[in-house]
Amino acid sequence: MKETLQFTPVRMAEQFMESYRNHELYPTWHYENGCLLKALEELYIHTGEQKYFDYIRELMDNFIQEDGSIRLYAVEEYNLDQINQGKSLFLLLDKTGEEKYRKAADLLMVQLKGQPRTSEGGFWHKKIYPFQMWLDGLYMATPFLTQYGAFTGEEKWFDKAALQLLLVEKRTRDSRSGLLYHAWDESKEQRWSSGETGCSPHVWSRAMGWYVMAVVDTLDHLPVDHEQRGQIVGIFERVANALVHVQDQQSGLWPHLLDQPGRERNYLEASGTSMFVYALAKGVRKGYLSGKFKAIAEKGYQGLLLHLLQTDREGVLSLTQCNGGAGLGGTPYRDGSYEYYVTESIRINDPKSVAPFILAGVEMELYKPN
């Protein structure tokens, strides 16, 4: 059954809202919760449906205490992933005025103020990953920084956010393809890092998805007259052009590893494709990207609907070919090899894919083809 642009994001969101209450991550402070809440926030903004706001508040109030402390969160972990769920605090503060949400945002900023950094000021992805910048972390932290800057009027946070986006692009960009490697180790000590560049070996689709979503969401709050805004917009266009060259022409989808198209077991993947559709469509709608990317986003979204979205007899939607996760280092050690990436789990309706799929659907509804 082919889904339509008009109803797919709403149907998927409402189905997932109900089932997610039983998900293992629902009772934890976790970046995947933040992904879902971002999708619901966009639905709330563009539909005005109170149920989306109520769900966001319900989930967040499981953690935010009256004094602004956050249950199950520890500043001292210095883990950028733990910032992502905090993005919803600004919507809650705006709509309710409750002081606990401001205090919780201040608490997350305590972490970012003390986040360990590379010699150039780039945030370590986590304290346990010294001197490493991962593309994932840009989505987790930079939009929050600019939201906080806009809320407080403290312009220094705009500068910090811009620095992160520019620095990681400079350090991870492959000069031939224009694609960005998953991570960079300044120390070059990790087995996965190149002795020459410090970069990891492959271009993981979702990592680049995190980056382009970070860019497009950060630009929402970065002042128009910020001196590095034009550079960030220019980099966005350059990265978008690189993505066009690795889009599967037959299906419109993007492969799990962007630098290995057509290689055996390198499947066409849902989360990266959804993230690219969202970022490209939103980038065109808001004037950050050239209009030519509208057709690229449309092709990608139709690919998701035709090839990866399934509907059973009861009308239940299943988004297939969702990569379960990928990282570098740690225990057991993840070496960043091709074999490592293609043997990670493949799931159905994984939150890291469903959330950007909803975002992509909202954007395609906002910017329908002429």
Side-chain angles (χ1 to χ4, degrees):
M1 175 181 176
K2 180 181 176 182
E3 288 294 316
T4 65
L5 292 177
Q6 185 174 1
F7 299 113
T8 302
V10 171
R11 286 189 58 203
M12 179 60 90
E14 295 187 357
Q15 171 188 306
F16 206 69
M17 285 163 65
E18 186 60 33
S19 64
Y20 196 68
R21 285 191 172 92
N22 299 316
H23 196 282
E24 62 182 357
L25 296 178
Y26 186 87
T28 67
W29 181 261
H30 199 277
Y31 78 91
E32 294 190 38
N33 288 346
C35 294
L36 175 61
L37 295 183
K38 169 63 176 175
L40 297 183
E41 181 174 335
E42 290 301 307
L43 279 171
Y44 172 65
I45 290 169
H46 295 296
T47 69
E49 292 280 350
Q50 184 67 25
K51 60 188 173 184
Y52 300 123
F53 177 84
D54 292 344
Y55 192 97
I56 294 168
R57 188 173 188 179
E58 172 195 323
L59 199 158
M60 289 294 284
D61 281 351
N62 288 334
F63 305 97
I64 309 303
Q65 309 301 298
E66 288 303 317
D67 63 357
S69 60
I70 303 173
R71 191 172 61 85
L72 304 179
Y73 166 72
V75 169
E76 293 79 9
E77 290 182 5
Y78 291 107
N79 178 350
L80 291 184
D81 287 347
Q82 299 293 62
I83 301 298
N84 192 47
Q85 189 169 341
K87 295 172 186 174
S88 295
L89 292 167
F90 300 101
L91 173 69
L92 294 171
L93 182 57
D94 179 59
K95 297 300 180 182
T96 71
E98 291 191 24
E99 189 70 4
K100 67 178 182 179
Y101 299 126
R102 183 194 63 78
K103 291 179 178 178
D106 290 342
L107 177 61
L108 293 175
M109 280 303 301
V110 169
Q111 175 188 324
L112 291 179
K113 289 173 183 177
Q115 189 74 16
R117 291 164 168 80
T118 68
S119 63
E120 297 170 296
F123 290 150
W124 295 6
H125 186 57
K126 300 179 184 181
K127 181 179 68 176
I128 61 172
Y129 298 139
F131 301 100
Q132 299 169 40
M133 295 188 75
W134 295 18
L135 296 181
D136 319 34
L138 277 293
Y139 179 73
M140 308 303 162
T142 54
F144 181 91
L145 279 171
T146 51
Q147 285 177 284
Y148 191 85
F151 173 72
T152 62
E154 297 180 72
E155 296 184 0
K156 62 183 177 181
W157 304 122
F158 301 136
D159 298 338
K160 297 290 186 185
L163 173 65
Q164 304 307 312
L165 292 173
L166 296 173
L167 180 57
V168 82
E169 192 270 348
K170 180 178 77 171
R171 290 300 185 181
T172 63
R173 182 175 181 268
D174 175 62
S175 59
R176 290 179 297 178
S177 68
L179 299 170
L180 310 183
Y181 291 107
H182 185 176
W184 170 66
D185 173 17
E186 182 181 38
S187 70
K188 302 178 184 177
E189 293 177 352
Q190 291 297 312
R191 298 203 306 270
W192 55 256
S193 67
S194 163
E196 181 180 352
T197 66
C199 290
S200 56
H202 290 293
V203 179
W204 179 37
S205 181
R206 185 153 73 232
M208 279 205 69
W210 291 130
Y211 182 78
V212 292
M213 290 206 305
V215 170
V216 79
D217 288 354
T218 296
L219 287 171
D220 283 344
H221 303 283
L222 192 69
V224 174
D225 61 352
H226 190 276
E227 63 181 9
Q228 291 174 308
R229 183 181 174 91
Q231 187 178 356
I232 292 169
V233 170
I235 283 173
F236 190 16
E237 180 98 5
R238 183 168 70 175
V239 169
N241 275 310
L243 290 173
V244 171
H245 294 302
V246 289
Q247 184 180 30
D248 181 67
Q249 292 306 300
Q250 183 174 354
S251 67
L253 303 168
W254 277 270
H256 179 44
L257 290 176
L258 300 179
D259 59 324
Q260 302 290 316
R263 189 170 173 181
E264 185 179 2
R265 295 185 293 166
N266 188 22
Y267 59 97
L268 299 171
E269 200 273 328
S271 68
T273 297
S274 297
M275 291 173 173
F276 299 147
V277 170
Y278 166 68
L280 295 177
K282 182 176 178 180
V284 172
R285 179 174 64 85
K286 302 203 76 170
Y288 308 146
L289 293 177
S290 306
K292 67 180 182 180
F293 294 106
K294 180 180 176 182
I296 303 300
E298 170 67 19
K299 185 174 183 178
Y301 191 61
Q302 288 298 327
L304 288 165
L305 297 181
L306 292 171
H307 300 290
L308 300 189
L309 190 67
Q310 299 177 0
T311 310
D312 68 15
R313 292 180 178 179
E314 285 72 43
V316 176
L317 299 175
S318 294
L319 186 62
T320 63
Q321 293 182 205
C322 308
N323 167 244
L328 294 161
T331 305
Y333 196 83
R334 299 163 295 182
D335 64 2
S337 65
Y338 182 81
E339 186 67 18
Y340 161 69
Y341 281 104
V342 298
T343 53
E344 278 286 9
S345 64
I346 302 174
R347 301 174 183 171
I348 295 173
N349 283 350
D350 185 83
K352 299 180 293 297
S353 294
V354 170
F357 176 78
I358 295 169
L359 288 170
V362 170
E363 280 301 326
M364 296 310 300
E365 178 65 15
L366 290 172
Y367 205 167
K368 291 179 179 178
N370 294 324

